[in-house]
Amino acid sequence: MSRRTLAILAALGATTIYGINHTIAKGVMPTYVKPFGFIFLRLFGASLLFWGISFFGPKEKLERRDWGRLLVCAFFGMGINMLSFFKGLDLSTPINSAVLITITPILVVILSALFIKEKITLRRGMGVFMGLIGALALILFGAEIRQDATNIPLGNLLFIVNATSYGLYLILVKKLLEKYHPFTLMKWMFGIGFFITLPITYSEFTEIQWSHLPIEAIGAIAFVIIGTTFLTYLFNVFALTQLKASTVGVFMYLQPLIGIIFAIVAGKDHLTLVKFFAIVLVLIGVYLVSKKVRPGP
């Protein structure tokens, strides 16, 4: 099997893990693990894994002037980003989360225009508009009465906070990735993220009744730590060594599809007319924003 084929399988594997994560993580919250307690486990476990694998990477020392940017990246990428997503997933539904987190490219375009003065073309502007309309439709009209989703509009709003925070992280981390190996950055950012969120997450972590956890809940926790947090990153890094970033980005469009199918098959969510039209608007918007313009002759 060629390295390119392996890279495609790695990108597909990462997208599949992300897609089914919405349902698997939702399945243990808040009965066995509350959302912030989950973040304690995720950041602690991922920190150990990334520090362990960093010994196989280059030995790099961060320059003093880069620590400030690193702290901000950890705050947005491993702090607000994860806290808002898991709290949103606790309050909302797997399908909503699978759709709304895909608006990150749209928010990156908006944030780039605000902070680094990138121009928004007509096509991208249309994509931003359509994507945001779809997101607003889910927030304003996607409310349902469900025992496992106590405040869907607020949960959906937290997904927007999550996507915005992650968009800021992507913009800020770009300069660091140009200077340092990913293993170096991840071990520090996950470690810092763990301590930044500790005052918020520790209380819910102590409430976990470990002796009463069924094997399914333990498996779900392990899946989120090892699969969603650690393996997906490694898969994407390997994919980027063999494929263009735009090619890897195409797999993003499969995530909501995989997430929706898995949630429905698992009996954890259902597709309504509002959700369907919102999904279509969001995906068209993301496509228009992400599509590269071909250079003229």
Side-chain angles (χ1 to χ4, degrees):
M1 189 178 294
S2 68
R3 290 180 68 85
R4 178 178 173 81
T5 302
L6 285 173
I8 291 172
L9 291 175
L12 180 61
T15 299
T16 302
I17 291 172
Y18 280 135
I20 66 178
N21 173 68
H22 304 280
T23 298
I24 290 177
K26 174 75 175 177
V28 296
M29 293 191 300
T31 306
Y32 300 110
V33 185
K34 291 182 178 178
F36 292 162
F38 224 139
I39 298 306
F40 179 101
L41 293 171
R42 187 178 184 184
L43 288 172
F44 180 72
S47 295
L48 291 179
L49 290 170
F50 280 118
W51 272 92
I53 201 171
S54 70
F55 290 104
F56 299 97
K59 305 300 181 286
E60 296 176 314
K61 185 176 181 180
L62 292 172
E63 294 182 21
R64 182 178 296 180
R65 62 179 180 177
D66 291 325
W67 278 102
R69 181 178 289 266
L70 188 81
L71 287 170
V72 175
C73 286
F75 177 76
F76 284 111
M78 286 73 191
I80 295 178
N81 167 42
M82 292 190 182
L83 292 171
S84 57
F85 174 73
F86 268 72
K87 187 63 178 179
L89 187 58
D90 181 41
L91 297 173
S92 189
T93 69
I95 285 181
N96 288 345
S97 67
V99 174
L100 287 174
I101 66 165
T102 61
I103 70 168
T104 296
I106 293 172
L107 294 171
V108 168
V109 169
I110 297 172
L111 294 169
S112 296
L114 291 174
F115 292 108
I116 56 179
K117 309 303 179 185
E118 280 192 6
K119 290 184 179 180
I120 298 180
T121 62
L122 178 62
R123 175 179 54 77
R124 282 191 160 188
M126 290 175 60
V128 167
F129 177 75
M130 294 180 72
L132 292 181
I133 291 296
L136 286 173
L138 276 180
I139 292 171
L140 299 175
F141 306 111
E144 306 169 54
I145 299 175
R146 291 175 51 156
Q147 290 185 343
D148 66 338
T150 55
N151 194 334
I152 290 176
L154 178 58
N156 290 347
L157 186 61
L158 286 172
F159 292 140
I160 303 296
V161 173
N162 157 253
T164 304
S165 177
Y166 191 65
L168 279 169
Y169 161 77
L170 290 177
I171 293 170
L172 293 167
V173 81
K174 189 175 180 181
K175 284 189 176 180
L176 294 175
L177 285 168
E178 293 171 357
K179 292 179 65 175
Y180 303 105
H181 192 277
F183 290 172
T184 303
L185 295 177
M186 287 301 106
K187 73 176 184 181
W188 283 113
M189 284 193 286
F190 271 91
I192 292 169
F194 171 73
F195 286 105
I196 287 176
T197 59
L198 188 59
I200 300 172
T201 62
Y202 182 72
S203 176
E204 290 191 359
F205 167 72
T206 60
E207 294 176 23
I208 300 172
Q209 302 291 322
W210 292 100
S211 60
H212 294 89
L213 287 183
I215 190 67
E216 297 83 14
I218 295 172
I221 292 170
F223 176 85
V224 171
I225 295 171
I226 300 171
T228 309
T229 312
F230 181 67
L231 288 181
T232 51
Y233 177 79
L234 294 182
F235 286 170
N236 279 327
V237 166
F238 174 70
L240 286 169
T241 63
Q242 305 297 319
L243 305 170
K244 292 181 180 179
S246 57
T247 303
V248 176
V250 169
F251 286 89
M252 175 184 64
Y253 299 108
L254 293 175
Q255 187 184 148
L257 180 62
I258 292 170
I260 290 166
I261 292 173
F262 187 79
I264 293 173
V265 170
K268 300 298 184 181
D269 207 346
H270 59 278
L271 193 61
T272 64
L273 195 60
V274 170
K275 286 180 182 178
F276 175 77
F277 283 113
I279 289 164
V280 171
L281 284 172
V282 168
L283 291 181
I284 292 175
V286 172
Y287 171 76
L288 290 173
V289 164
S290 303
K291 189 174 184 294
K292 286 191 174 182
V293 179
R294 291 183 178 179

